[in-house]
Amino acid sequence: MPIEAHVATFAELDARTFHDLLRLRIDVFVVEQACPYPELDGRDTETGTRHLWLTRDGAVLAYLRILADPDGVARIGRVVVAPAARGAGLAGRLMTEALALVGDRPCVLEAQTHLVGFYAGHGFAVSGPGYVEDGIPHTPMRRSAGPPA
């Protein structure tokens, strides 16, 4: 079966889909990466937030969210690929879809440091000093306004 891309606001998500998206996020960020933190931060429900995910046969394979920061900058976060789906280029497809949605607005993200090269390939550049969050090194990155990379 083909891989399908989906995008929705919180209000457009049905309960089952939101459950499946959260399950993937928690399975990877909280359990696999051993980072107990409050996964539900309130930003999923904001009016400007867009949820983007990929499925095959209804199963969620990859996900990210695009937040609308108050300064007009798009913020990509919670980028995740299911362990069984890794290595198939899904993160790249997800980012391509996300940047098409962002359009020519400036965009920021907080990359896990080992993924800086991946995000650089999508037009992002390091925008500040690295830091450690929940025991994982992170690097702030920014893609300036302009056409999608």
Side-chain angles (χ1 to χ4, degrees), residues 93-118:
R93 178 169 173 193
L94 202 58
M95 286 301 296
T96 298
E97 300 266 356
L99 292 175
L101 288 170
V102 168
D104 64 0
R105 290 183 293 159
C107 186
V108 298
L109 55 80
E110 305 295 321
Q112 290 188 8
T113 301
H114 72 278
L115 295 171
V116 164
F118 167 76

Side-chain angles (χ1 to χ4, degrees), residues 130-142:
Y131 61 94
V132 176
E133 182 176 11
D134 297 320
I136 298 173
H138 284 74
T139 302
M141 299 187 79
R142 180 182 183 90

